[in-house]
Amino acid sequence: MVRKSGTEYLYMGTSSLLVTALATTNDQEANDDRNVGFLRYWTLSNVPLFLLAAPVLYFMTSSALWTSALHGNVSNPSAKDSAFTNAEPCWVSPIGMAVARRLAVPQFVLGLIALTTYHVQVVTRISSGYPLWYWWLASRIVDQRPVRLGKWDIPMKTVVRWMVLYAFIQAGLFAAFLPPA
Amino acid sequence: MTLAIATRPVSTQAMRIAFISACLHTVSPAGLFLSAPYAESSFALVNMSGYYLYAVGLRAHYTGRAKLRDTAIVLSGLLFGVAATLRSNGLLNGLIFCYDLITCFITSLRFGDLIKDLRKSVFVVIAGSLLGIGFIYPQYLAYGVFCYPSESRYQRSWCANRVPSIYTWVQAHYW
């Protein structure tokens, strides 16, 4: 299992680099105009936007890394689809863990590209189509485990409140044609 | 869709998680964009349906039902193609198929069951191609409209790029 997650990281890294390389355009003038391009968005005036996008980026990377920590025995396909009998019964079946691992790749790469190349606040919008981080949050809600951020424990109530609040804030800012769109 | 990756028989915990995930999506930070006529909600629908079919296909692979696996994976590729047409970040779902191909290649090198793996890989490649077509099709249309000069239109500046993609140019120029 450890070797598998190692190759997964390698795969994520190379694929994200490739996609970033392909996503940049030739037209240097157009690039300079609008601050899109590798690391071009990382200016001091854009720091608040990075702060706005930071929670979602954290969720997306955490959920992607969560999949690599899921235990199970996928290499044995004849094993029935049952919860693995260990200390903590996991709601995800072994095959489901394989699915989740695969789903982690586009989500992680998206987060990485959004961080480096896109206007980063867009990630709060486009992350709505990717289910993995919802599962991660939901399983933490059901287990009543808070999100750990270094020393701090952020309870799930706060997370959900932030999600609802940000939906409204983003709506207001977008209607006023301000950046976080 | 959550239940597709959950244990069998489905535990109550899994059903709770499915319900809570659905609720989280409803109150997601992209709130406005899911309610207003943007592509986000349709993209979410098609993307998640694609993932669901992919999960069904992978489960069928491990339970040995090859036909179900093949149809499910090709259908998921089709749905991902629609998703890529709706939002271009749908193209990243192709990485799932690449992951499959790589793991398939590695296991076939190790265990040597080449024919079965080749058959599976063919369908994965078909699915990935459907996805790629969904991504390239709008750009192909745009190329047809903007890049053939006539008396009334001039050729746009991005037509001569290495990869004449309208997406990258619009991102750079208008964003």
Side-chain angles (χ1 to χ4, degrees):
Chain A
M1 264 317 120
V2 175
R3 205 175 349 143
K4 200 159 187 173
S5 49
T7 47
E8 182 188 273
Y9 289 141
L10 187 65
Y11 179 65
M12 280 182 185
T14 43
S15 52
S16 49
L17 281 174
L18 269 174
V19 175
T20 316
L22 285 174
T24 53
T25 176
N26 244 352
D27 195 349
Q28 204 51 37
E29 265 182 40
N31 257 339
D32 290 337
D33 275 344
R34 286 292 174 265
N35 283 336
V36 173
F38 189 63
L39 290 185
R40 274 181 191 282
Y41 205 60
W42 288 23
T43 66
L44 205 56
S45 57
N46 285 331
V47 167
L49 298 171
F50 276 91
L51 290 176
L52 284 176
V56 176
L57 282 175
Y58 179 72
F59 295 151
M60 287 172 74
T61 38
S62 307
S63 46
L65 295 175
W66 168 67
T67 60
S68 59
L70 286 175
H71 319 289
N73 190 10
V74 190
S75 53
N76 184 9
S78 63
K80 285 291 176 194
D81 244 3
S82 58
F84 75 111
T85 53
N86 222 350
E88 203 180 86
C90 187
W91 62 277
V92 188
S93 68
I95 292 178
M97 289 173 191
V99 175
R101 259 192 287 272
R102 283 160 168 80
L103 296 197
V105 181
Q107 191 177 283
F108 181 78
V109 172
L110 181 70
L112 204 63
I113 292 181
L115 186 62
T116 55
T117 313
Y118 285 174
H119 292 208
V120 70
Q121 68 276 11
V122 189
V123 76
T124 47
R125 252 170 99 177
I126 55 187
S127 64
S128 61
Y130 293 88
L132 194 66
W133 66 284
Y134 291 130
W135 289 335
W136 180 73
L137 284 178
S139 57
R140 293 190 94 100
I141 288 177
V142 165
D143 289 342
Q144 291 178 342
R145 282 201 331 251
V147 174
R148 293 206 72 89
L149 196 67
K151 295 196 304 276
W152 300 304
D153 271 346
I154 302 169
M156 297 312 290
K157 269 195 208 164
T158 314
V159 170
V160 178
R161 277 184 198 148
W162 172 81
M163 282 168 72
V164 178
L165 268 178
Y166 187 75
F168 284 113
I169 294 174
Q170 193 181 42
L173 288 173
F174 188 66
F177 292 106
L178 288 173
Chain B
M1 193 211 145
T2 313
L3 296 177
I5 76 162
T7 59
R8 289 271 190 280
V10 180
S11 60
T12 41
Q13 193 192 24
M15 301 209 47
R16 283 180 68 198
I17 288 189
F19 181 67
I20 291 178
S21 310
C23 293
L24 283 176
H25 176 67
T26 314
V27 299
S28 127
L32 166 73
F33 297 100
L34 294 176
S35 321
Y38 275 91
E40 264 74 14
S41 41
S42 347
F43 174 77
L45 168 69
V46 181
N47 209 22
M48 299 218 196
S49 313
Y51 284 141
Y52 172 67
L53 281 174
Y54 180 79
V56 165
L58 205 64
R59 181 184 288 273
H61 172 70
Y62 282 115
T63 53
R65 290 149 76 182
K67 283 212 186 81
L68 177 63
R69 172 198 74 207
D70 296 332
T71 26
I73 288 196
V74 170
L75 279 177
S76 76
L78 186 68
L79 282 175
F80 287 147
V82 175
T85 309
L86 288 172
R87 282 206 70 104
S88 54
N89 50 274
L91 182 69
L92 292 175
N93 291 324
L95 292 173
I96 298 178
F97 296 129
C98 294
Y99 188 105
D100 258 349
L101 282 177
I102 291 177
T103 46
C104 206
F105 185 59
I106 291 177
T107 50
S108 71
L109 276 183
R110 243 193 242 161
F111 299 116
D113 194 356
L114 205 57
I115 304 294
K116 210 168 64 160
D117 288 332
L118 201 64
R119 183 196 158 162
K120 179 191 173 192
S121 313
V122 163
F123 284 98
V124 172
V125 167
I126 291 177
S129 321
L130 286 173
L131 194 163
I133 289 174
F135 179 70
I136 290 178
Y137 184 63
Q139 307 193 49
Y140 170 73
L141 287 179
Y143 189 84
V145 168
F146 287 113
C147 286
Y148 290 109
S150 64
E151 298 88 31
S152 54
R153 289 197 291 265
Y154 57 92
Q155 201 187 39
R156 298 291 192 274
S157 62
W158 51 269
C159 295
N161 282 348
R162 182 177 0 123
V163 177
S165 159
I166 189 173
Y167 282 176
T168 45
W169 191 79
V170 165
Q171 273 280 329
H173 196 73
Y174 291 109
W175 270 98

